[in-house]
Amino acid sequence: MQARKFGAAFSIPGEATSLTEADGYHVVGLADGGSLVAHAVLVATGVRYRRLDVPGLDRLERSSVYYAATEFEARLCRQDPVTVVGGGNSAGQAACFLARRSPVVNLVIRHDDLGRDMSRYLADRVEQSPRITVWRDSEVRELIGEEGFEEVLLHQLQSDDEQRVATRALFMLIGAAPHTAWLQGELPLDPKGFILTGPAADGSDGMFGTRRRGVFAVGDVRSGSVKRVASAVGEGSVAIRQVHEFLEAEGRR
């Protein structure tokens, strides 16, 4: 409502499929064959968090499955056993954080080397915590519970054994795929497909500017962002100021 009040035009539904340049302008191609022409473009397309394709997820996702471990989730899970899926730093940090509140934290990884994808200092913290149990060479096969989340079924990859483990919440930290396929070859991306900005992109339009003058990126889609709503909102507000500064410098405002 606020955006409409200030005269913003909406393209709904609208899917961006390409980003090109023409006569000093940026051209955003749309899925319906149309295009938008602009002096500046702000990319805030976010990510799609990876999900496990297992029975019970659709039923329990809204109430007991999380894709981040913040103070809010930790309070909800206080005194309850929880399970974290993932072998990277995000999963390790979540396990250590949740262990401050939860008496039992199960960390499930698909290989046997905790330090393979996790910083060594963090792996050491996980292994030294009396509240964290690391399930190596394991994967989640099913989420069990009718009225609420009760157990997770774990499958041991080497022995083929299965075991039910009590849990009240599942934290799925197995990575995310940024919505940047439409930018391939147009903007510099990091190895995981996130948009490089600021010094990492040799950008000259501030920390949210990309290598292409007049194109900015904020939020989860940006390489190095912290993947939190509050941070994304803050980045957006700062980037808009940088957009205004760019337009003024170009004499286009």
Side-chain angles (χ1 to χ4, degrees), residues 22-249:
D23 300 324
Y25 293 89
H26 303 290
V27 182
V28 178
L30 303 178
D32 63 4
S35 63
L36 300 172
V37 180
H39 294 300
V41 174
L42 178 63
V43 182
T45 48
V47 300
R48 178 182 293 106
Y49 287 94
R50 295 189 175 95
R51 302 166 73 248
L52 296 174
D53 184 15
V54 295
L57 178 62
D58 291 340
R59 184 177 68 256
L60 297 169
E61 186 171 29
R62 291 178 63 86
S63 63
S64 308
V65 178
Y66 305 100
Y67 296 88
T70 69
E71 184 65 27
F72 175 77
E73 289 85 14
R75 288 180 180 177
L76 291 177
C77 301
R78 189 173 186 177
Q79 303 306 315
D80 288 331
V82 300
T83 297
V84 178
V85 181
N89 283 343
S90 295
Q93 291 166 354
C96 291
F97 179 70
L98 292 167
R100 300 178 190 173
R101 299 288 187 94
S102 299
V104 177
V105 177
N106 300 291
L107 178 60
V108 183
I109 63 175
R110 288 179 55 85
H111 49 81
D112 62 357
D113 182 8
L114 193 60
R116 192 189 77 176
D117 303 315
M118 191 182 297
S119 299
R120 188 66 259 171
Y121 83 91
L122 187 55
D124 290 342
R125 284 183 58 194
V126 169
E127 291 177 325
Q128 292 167 8
S129 174
R131 291 188 168 192
I132 301 176
T133 299
V134 181
W135 297 83
R136 292 175 166 82
D137 290 316
S138 299
E139 64 181 9
V140 172
R141 278 293 178 87
E142 184 180 357
L143 310 188
I144 302 169
E146 293 300 329
E147 298 299 325
F149 200 176
E150 298 175 0
E151 296 176 313
V152 61
L153 180 64
L154 299 183
H155 174 237
Q156 217 289 328
L157 298 173
Q158 297 298 324
S159 65
D160 207 32
D161 291 337
E162 292 188 339
Q163 183 171 347
R164 290 189 174 199
V165 176
T167 192
R168 296 296 180 269
L170 181 73
F171 291 82
M172 207 176 303
L173 301 170
I174 53 178
H179 295 288
T180 55
W182 62 290
L183 297 171
Q184 292 286 345
E186 297 296 333
L187 295 181
L189 308 176
D190 70 11
K192 295 182 179 180
F194 293 87
I195 302 173
L196 295 172
T197 60
D202 297 326
S204 58
D205 293 326
M207 69 176 296
F208 301 118
T210 68
R211 186 177 297 174
R212 181 177 292 184
R213 289 274 292 158
V215 178
F216 303 79
V218 296
D220 289 4
V221 76
R222 187 178 69 85
S223 180
S225 66
V226 298
K227 310 298 185 288
R228 294 292 185 272
V229 171
S231 175
V233 172
E235 289 188 7
S237 62
V238 174
I240 291 301
R241 180 184 179 92
Q242 294 180 356
V243 169
H244 280 280
E245 292 172 350
F246 164 75
L247 294 176
E248 287 176 346

